[in-house]
Amino acid sequence: MSHDSHDHKPKGFVNRWLLTTNHKDIGTLYLIFALAMFIIGGAMAMIIRLELFQPGLQFVEPDFFNQMTTMHALIMVFGAVMPAFVGLANWMIPLMIGAPDMALPRMNNWSFWILPFAFSLLGSTLFMDGGAPAGGWTMYPPLVLQGGHNVAYLVFAVHLMGISSIMGAINVIATIMNMRAPNVGYLNMPLFVWTWLITAFLLIAVMPVLAGAVTMLLTDRYFGTSFFNAAGGGDPVLFQHIFWFFGHPEVYIMILPSFGVVSEIIPTFARKPLFGYVSMVYATAGIAFLSFIVWAHHMFSVGMPLGGELYFMYATMMIAVPTGVKIFNWVATMWKGAMTFETPMLFSLAFVVLFTIGGFSGVMMALAPVDLQYHDTYFIVAHFHYVLVPGAVFAIIAGAYYWLPKWSGHMYSEKLGKIHFWWSTISVNVLFFPQHFLGLAGMPRRIPDYSTQFAEFNMMSSIGGFAFGLAQVFFVYIVIKTVRGGKKAEANAWGDAKGLEWTVPSPAPHHTFEEFGPVDLKKMAHGDVH
Amino acid sequence: MKKAQTKLMWLVTGLLFSSATWAEYGLNLRKGVTDYSQTAYDMHMLAFWICVVIGIIVFGAMLYSIVAHRKSKGVTPEQFSHSTFAEILWTIIPIVILAAMAWPATKALIQMENPTDEAGKPMNMDMTIKVTGYQWKWRYDYMDEGFGFLSTLAKDSNIARQKDSGIKPETVDNYLLDVDKPLVIPVDTNIRFLLTADDVIHAWWVPDFGWKRDAVPGFVNEAWTNVKVPGTYRGQCAELCGKDHGFMPVVVEAVSKEDYAAWVAEQKGGQAEEAVMAEKTWTKEELMTKGEAVYNQQCATCHQADGAGLPPTFPALAGSDFVNGPAADQIGLVLNGKPGTAMAAFGNILSETDIAAAITYTRNSFGNTAGDIVQPTDVKNLK
């Protein structure tokens, strides 16, 4: 074995990146891929907001508009948010539990390299006769089946994304269960690891359900089955039940790791242990459990028996309880701490406030009798963008600023980071807050043109959208600048941050925790030290 | 002078918070014109104010902490990490608040799904209207009266909404929220709606009634309303249903019971006239004129005004072998539709005269040279 290279990085681009089995390099690949998809999906959102800037059709035809809303959602959900969290998991979980790597490194490579193929398949439909899927990311039949041959591409792309996610999830579970340093118990793990463990179980449970649903679409389209065709004895609403049995846990797949990231950052910058660590773990598990039994709250207007509607309303309202516990715990973590406001902390604080606003509209929509008004309007567009953009995406950005010194060995420019924060936070609210008003005033979602009474708020929202889009291009610039150079980061870049990742040098060497042995539990990142 | 100023200030503040101002700028949910829409509005405001109060408490605590407990003030951080009492408290309080919201919500939902009258008996429905969603129009059938019609986006909106039309939407009355023929209903009447669709899923929504309900192909959904105030109420399809999802408005005119009876009589007269028309033999010119109007209203959204279609989803009629082929095949296709595509079965939607005229028009326009004409009786014979 050659020892001339100190950290044993493989030589050459192909060996280093294509054939890599190193959790840090695969984590980097995931993060770069997610960032690229975030920009592409964001560009589609810009087209949407451009067309909606004024009433009347100025730029695109209605069918292309529908392709944009559909592709924007698919790319953001499966291409940006989910891979970004897998990237964070790859980088941080082994470092946080004192493991040398992920448990299944070759599968790790495969699960990443499937993704570019999945999204090439999906993206290629844009250049086909008849265009990309235009039936919404929810893929409701019979509409989606009118999509010509993009149906097959859509289905196979979803299959590939699912395979990738399942493999990633298996890897996370195998790593956490088997690779913890010998003295690290489950209740010693940082909350980010806990939230990912639970997320991984959700992924394994629901991705096959989605795969089944889209396979039925495929056979309905090409092989003459009638799963969702009433004329053949099927039921179009059956698809919605299956889809949302996947779709609701999917929502938590995108938010639980955010909870984990924020639960690492707030204690660091409040200089205080995380409040209620154990209740945080239980609340996460509680939310995950509830996510399986509330799916039909996406379908209150579809026509359900009264008993069904009541049940799904009550179960959905229950989610507010564990979610509330989390928010109160974060506030209690700040309480009587000694706070500083570096960029990761700013994004985390914005996350707590803006995610809570998304939660409020969530509680309102849980009330089935009023959901008959809110459903399928811009009110729900505002709701899920509040939980996904200043929710999930802000948490990812906070995590990126927080761990960038560990990944790159350089400190980002605090000044630029703060500009990025204020620019993003103001514009994201200009973008999404008026959409509440639009929805309440009666504007349906997924329409390319609207009645003139909605003009003012749409224009405001579009202006916010362009500003927010530009802010994220600025973020790409900050990241590239930091990776290329900057102030050298200490091993513990934040002074006295807890967490084993801060015990290894910055940038983290190619191999860490090579010697299997106990770690210093006092350095683990959580509240109740046992 | 100072008093006047204070008065003005109060007035401005009052206006800012009064729901009337909110409504004018389209900020809030509408109270609507039914008991149910009022209930939904009350639920909405209850939930909203509860959220506001919780928001003030939580964000207030956070803000206080951010201001008071910052390192730059020289504070030393406490190291407490849990409090069983606090954690139990902030689990129980939300449960109580949720229960307080669930109670009225349950009552409202029961009234929507299993309505009862003041005496607590199951509510008696006075009339039934069947609503069928098509890509991209609505059909209304008055089940008790035995007639029905299509309701499509109004012509001036439809022209203005085309890309590069050059028409400013502001100049069009009720842009995108107007139809050629609205649904007419009597006020103070319990109306049962049966909702279904013929192609894909649509959702029928009039915000002023307080609910929307999906129209699912192959299934029949049920909902009801009782409108208290005469007027014109506008809504839209609320479920993505293809390219022109944004262009299938719902317009309902609620009129007095007398006006409604007169309107029904008029419709029935029109129906008799229609039957006579279907029996007569039409000239080519008559069919072409009528056909052009029917084609542009019903067919042009997909097959385009110039017959070029939008392939591959919507085939071209111009130069089509099918359109230039035997008339009987084309009549059959228009009557029965093409399953698995967006082509609806127009046999149930349009009159025989309209179908005959539209087919004649397509066979003799866009450079097509079939040359023959189709009479309403030809359509009737193939039905």
Side-chain angles (χ1 to χ4, degrees), chain B residues 167-206:
Chain B
I167 301 168
K168 278 204 177 343
E170 297 79 27
T171 62
V172 179
D173 279 346
N174 296 308
Y175 178 61
L176 299 186
L177 292 181
D178 207 6
V179 293
D180 55 351
K181 198 164 178 190
L183 176 71
V184 177
I185 58 167
V187 293
D188 297 320
T189 308
N190 291 333
I191 302 168
R192 183 205 318 273
F193 289 96
L194 299 176
L195 303 110
T196 187
D198 198 54
D199 35 43
V200 302
I201 303 172
H202 304 268
W204 198 78
W205 181 34
V206 180

Side-chain angles (χ1 to χ4, degrees), chain A residues 266-461:
Chain A
I266 292 178
T268 295
F269 297 97
R271 291 168 183 76
K272 208 167 141 271
L274 181 69
F275 187 90
Y277 168 83
V278 178
S279 68
M280 284 295 222
V281 172
Y282 286 137
T284 310
I287 293 171
F289 169 74
L290 287 172
S291 77
F292 283 107
I293 59 167
V294 296
W295 73 89
H297 68 214
H298 298 267
M299 305 160 56
F300 280 140
S301 71
V302 88
M304 254 190 289
L306 174 65
E309 288 190 327
L310 287 175
Y311 160 74
F312 282 109
M313 175 171 79
Y314 299 149
T316 304
M317 292 173 82
M318 286 306 293
I319 299 176
V321 176
T323 315
V325 166
K326 289 197 153 284
I327 290 159
F328 300 139
N329 282 356
W330 288 321
V331 176
T333 305
M334 297 170 211
W335 195 258
K336 301 213 165 169
M339 275 190 271
T340 53
F341 303 95
E342 289 84 349
T343 309
M345 181 63 159
L346 287 174
F347 272 104
S348 300
L349 294 175
F351 169 93
V352 174
V353 173
L354 299 175
F355 174 79
T356 304
I357 291 176
F360 284 150
S361 52
V363 172
M364 294 170 80
M365 287 189 298
L367 300 168
V370 214
D371 186 62
L372 297 182
Q373 288 278 40
Y374 304 141
H375 182 72
D376 265 332
T377 68
Y378 260 80
F379 193 76
I380 190 188
V381 177
H383 159 75
F384 67 70
H385 280 98
Y386 258 88
V387 291
L388 284 176
V389 184
V393 172
F394 269 30
I396 294 166
I397 293 173
Y401 280 112
Y402 185 59
W403 286 306
L404 204 51
K406 182 56 60 190
W407 302 335
S408 70
H410 304 126
M411 295 303 283
Y412 60 87
S413 154
E414 197 56 60
K415 193 176 135 204
L416 296 186
K418 286 209 165 87
I419 293 172
H420 176 224
F421 168 76
W422 286 109
W423 186 357
S424 297
T425 303
I426 293 168
S427 58
V428 87
N429 283 291
V430 177
L431 166 56
F432 294 121
F433 207 80
Q435 296 185 356
H436 289 111
F437 303 138
L438 286 172
L440 293 175
M443 178 167 161
R445 63 190 286 210
R446 294 164 159 171
I447 57 174
D449 192 7
Y450 48 83
S451 171
T452 48
Q453 60 183 316
F454 306 125
E456 286 81 5
F457 285 127
N458 266 303
M459 188 176 282
M460 203 187 288
S461 178

Side-chain angles (χ1 to χ4, degrees), chain A residues 276 314 373-375 449 528, chain B residues 44 81-82 106 113 175 212:
Chain A
Y314 299 149
Q373 288 278 40
Y374 304 141
H375 182 72
D449 192 7
D528 303 311
Chain B
H44 162 72
S81 64
H82 59 269
T106 303
E113 300 295 350
Y175 178 61
K212 64 177 68 69

